[in-house]
Amino acid sequence: MDNSASNDKIKDKGRRRFLALSGGLGLLWLGAAAYPVYKFISPQPVPDPFGEEGRAVVKKLTPADCVRPGSGGNGSIGNIGVIVFRTPEGELRAFTSKCTHAGCNVNFTGEKIVCHCHGGQYDLTGKNISGPPPKPLTQLKVFEENGVLYVAPLDKTEKA
Amino acid sequence: MDDRFVPVPKEAEDRLPPESSASGKLLRYLLRRLPVWPLIAFFAKKKVPQHKHSAWYTLGGIAMFFFMVQVITGVLLMIYYNPGSPWQSVQRIVMEIPFGGLIRSIHHWSANLMILTLCLHMFSTFFMKAYRPPREITWLTGLALFGITLTLGFSGYLLPWDDLSFFATRIGISEMDKIPIIGPWMGGILRGGPDVTVETIGRFYPLHVVVLPLALIGILGLHLLLIQVQGVSEPDSFRALPEEKKKYHKFFSEFLFAEIPIWLFMMGILVLLSAMFPRGLMPEADPGSAAPEGIKPEWYFMVPFQMLKIFPGALEFVGMVIMGLLPLAFVAVPFIDRNVPEDARGRLVARAGIAVVLVAVAFTIWGWLS
């Protein structure tokens, strides 16, 4: 009677060790299978829109669109939207067009910058002045060369 | 209590954890809303006969495992595959996406092993005479599943849009064109025009990733339901044993716990094959170029391929008639060989089966070597 009880105990111990081992191996196996899948579905690196030259051609806008003070419009570099315009004072400016509130692309109206989705407004320095946007728009450096508009990231020290 | 609640059955009460425990509460909560106890009781009794041919019973489960691998790797490949620029997107999967080549190779090898497993599964049920009444519908749904799987293999072959895809699909559909009356119409519908173009991918892609998998899952459901309702088939020799000598494994969990390690082993085989023989990508399909030298179909299409080669010219229709009648012969099997042990028809069908296996193996090897 006692003997069989202790036998059961030994069996139990072996059983527990076997289950722990198979559980551990199972987890190891799952990890080995999950890692390639995780790497596969992770977002792939996106190329720098400004490339090696540190600047990008603005598509869908030409310098001619921004000659008159108060004129300008929406363009793009790669998958990024930008707005380029000339202020009533005659300065050429560029911002990324993604609204800081919920990500719609903003619209340059001549006197200010508005977002049609939730009524956000920015002044011509990109500062959020009305509605839900929490932050100013990101300003870009803009220049004209051989009839083409270029934008580049703003140096840390520069400000509108 | 609202009478729309289901009372927990007495035998369930006896086996559930005490009502005071959290798991006991949760299980009773579920059972009062979902009256699934009869199902649980049914599956608890599910058993698998134990005899010297028992190993064959694992094959259907292994084929299902490969199908699950196909679904998972297929969904992953769909993330980056683009039917608008097919070859470029597959090249990106292989060259740029981390583990992309591995996942594509596993998809390829799992497809091959799924078809191989189905061949073995089919012939084991054939020679165990598991198709006999009342299991005719299980046999017929099995044949349909085999046909769908082959069509999945054929449609998936085109999607990378390399030289091999292009010519394999052109040959396959041009054979279909030769079927009298409906052939040209079917070929045109599949190609989306007189020749294989990217337009054909527009048709094969939804077929490969939506239509055929859904059809497979639906018919597989019926196939499995029939096996639950009718029980696992027992060979005559086992059935003839006296009751006390018949041994069974419980499906839950003895049989399943033996099957899971086989699946893990198969997963290992898949990774090993994919690492040692990764699936290649030929140059992009060019309808103007010559077919690559030594172009051959996958091994599972070698039988019709050889059949077409041995009947030249005007005799080609002989090969096509044989290949057309073969599936019909398989369909007819359970209606010819009925439930009469050791009768003449049963022996005839078994001999015909052996002949088909020998010819199929011989043709496959011959096609491989020639």
Side-chain angles (χ1 to χ4, degrees):
Chain A
M1 192 73 185
D2 277 341
N3 205 6
S4 84
S6 74
N7 266 348
D8 276 0
K9 236 182 210 168
I10 291 166
K11 251 191 216 162
D12 241 29
K13 212 174 161 191
R15 207 173 282 156
R16 219 169 286 149
R17 198 181 294 158
F18 173 76
L19 282 176
L21 187 70
S22 17
L25 281 176
L27 282 179
L28 206 68
W29 187 92
L30 268 183
Y35 179 72
V37 172
Y38 166 74
K39 291 300 278 183
F40 185 89
I41 64 173
S42 294
Q44 299 308 309
V46 182
D48 180 1
F50 299 108
E52 281 174 9
E53 289 178 44
R55 62 181 193 176
V57 177
V58 178
K59 287 182 191 135
K60 289 181 279 187
L61 271 182
T62 64
D65 297 320
C66 315
V67 171
R68 190 172 49 78
S71 68
N74 287 62
S76 65
I77 52 167
N79 291 319
I80 297 172
V82 296
I83 49 170
V84 181
F85 59 86
R86 196 168 291 278
T87 64
E89 293 78 36
E91 191 193 332
L92 193 62
R93 280 189 198 153
F95 295 90
T96 57
S97 60
K98 189 173 167 185
C99 180
T100 56
H101 168 231
C104 286
N105 281 350
V106 295
N107 183 28
F108 169 71
T109 63
E111 294 106 46
K112 56 190 173 192
I113 300 160
V114 298
C115 181
H116 293 154
C117 293
H118 309 101
Q121 296 193 7
Y122 304 83
D123 67 15
L124 295 189
T125 67
K127 189 168 171 286
N128 45 321
I129 51 172
S130 170
K135 282 190 298 188
L137 293 170
T138 307
Q139 191 169 6
L140 298 167
K141 216 192 302 188
V142 56
F143 47 94
E144 183 199 332
E145 213 177 280
N146 303 326
V148 177
L149 280 173
Y150 288 92
V151 288
L154 210 59
D155 298 334
K156 289 259 157 48
T157 51
E158 288 180 81
K159 267 223 142 182
Chain B
M1 203 160 75
D2 194 307
D3 61 2
R4 278 166 293 187
F5 283 105
V6 192
V8 178
K10 172 84 182 61
E11 51 169 312
E13 278 294 354
D14 296 342
R15 303 185 59 182
L16 287 174
E19 187 146 20
S20 53
S21 71
S23 59
K25 275 201 193 84
L26 178 67
L27 290 172
R28 280 176 183 79
Y29 176 95
L30 290 174
L31 275 181
R32 276 200 295 272
R33 284 155 181 80
L34 289 167
V36 291
W37 183 258
L39 268 182
I40 296 170
F42 177 81
F43 280 112
K45 267 185 265 165
K46 184 174 160 64
K47 57 189 184 173
V48 181
Q50 198 182 346
H51 49 79
K52 65 176 175 177
H53 301 299
S54 287
W56 296 102
Y57 291 133
T58 60
L59 286 170
I62 295 172
M64 258 168 53
F65 169 75
F66 286 131
F67 177 63
M68 283 190 288
V69 171
Q70 288 308 85
V71 171
I72 293 167
T73 53
V75 168
L76 288 173
L77 290 170
M78 278 177 76
I79 295 175
Y80 298 108
Y81 179 73
N82 174 2
S85 51
W87 188 82
Q88 287 76 6
S89 66
V90 175
Q91 194 197 31
R92 177 166 176 244
I93 291 172
V94 176
M95 307 291 286
E96 288 174 30
I97 308 299
F99 298 102
L102 176 70
I103 285 169
R104 175 169 178 252
S105 295
I106 291 179
H107 196 71
H108 165 82
W109 279 111
S110 178
N112 274 277
L113 291 186
M114 180 177 169
I115 293 171
L116 181 66
T117 311
L118 284 180
C119 288
L120 296 173
H121 181 48
M122 195 170 136
F123 284 100
S124 75
T125 51
F126 181 88
F127 288 111
M128 276 198 233
K129 299 201 176 291
Y131 50 78
R132 282 178 169 176
R135 296 193 173 82
E136 305 98 311
I137 304 173
T138 320
W139 173 255
L140 294 179
T141 49
L143 287 179
L145 289 170
F146 188 63
I148 290 172
T149 307
L150 288 178
T151 317
L152 275 164
F154 181 68
S155 57
Y157 219 71
L158 176 69
L159 301 184
W161 195 242
D162 64 1
D163 258 354
L164 195 61
S165 314
F166 177 77
F167 289 106
T169 309
R170 200 192 236 180
I171 297 167
I173 307 184
S174 79
E175 286 316 314
M176 211 174 286
D177 277 337
K178 293 173 192 162
I179 300 171
I181 306 163
I182 55 164
W185 174 79
M186 273 167 54
I189 292 279
L190 277 174
R191 273 187 301 252
D195 205 351
V196 174
T197 61
V198 181
E199 194 89 332
T200 317
I201 290 192
R203 286 148 195 265
F204 273 40
Y205 187 45
L207 204 63
H208 185 77
V209 304
V210 179
V211 180
L212 293 172
L214 280 182
L216 193 147
I217 290 168
I219 298 174
L220 179 60
L222 185 56
H223 193 70
L224 292 176
L225 180 71
L226 283 163
I227 296 164
Q228 307 320 313
V229 171
Q230 299 176 332
V232 177
S233 148
E234 299 171 358
D236 288 340
S237 58
F238 183 84
R239 218 164 17 173
L241 289 174
E243 273 315 306
E244 66 274 13
K245 283 209 168 170
K246 288 185 184 176
K247 280 195 215 149
Y248 293 94
H249 281 306
K250 277 183 147 185
F251 186 84
F252 293 100
S253 44
E254 286 168 8
F255 184 79
L256 200 63
F257 277 9
E259 178 103 11
I260 288 172
I262 301 177
W263 293 2
L264 296 185
F265 178 75
M266 290 301 162
M267 190 69 227
I269 295 278
L270 282 178
V271 174
L272 191 72
L273 283 170
S274 302
M276 289 174 67
F277 310 102
R279 181 65 174 161
L281 184 64
M282 283 198 164
E284 185 176 6
D286 172 6
S289 71
E293 217 174 309
I295 183 170
K296 247 179 233 177
E298 288 291 300
W299 61 269
Y300 46 86
F301 287 131
M302 213 55 106
V303 173
F305 176 74
Q306 280 307 103
M307 201 59 95
L308 290 169
K309 277 209 314 204
I310 57 171
F311 292 107
L315 285 175
E316 193 183 14
F317 77 95
V318 179
M320 293 190 64
V321 168
I322 295 174
M323 290 319 296
L325 289 180
L326 194 62
L328 290 181
F330 277 112
V331 166
V333 160
F335 305 101
I336 298 169
D337 178 12
R338 295 175 199 228
N339 206 6
V340 194
E342 293 307 313
D343 63 344
R345 278 180 177 185
R347 276 196 300 275
L348 185 76
V349 167
R351 278 179 197 154
I354 292 170
V356 169
V357 175
L358 288 179
V359 171
V361 170
F363 271 43
T364 305
I365 295 170
W366 182 17
W368 192 287
L369 295 178
S370 63

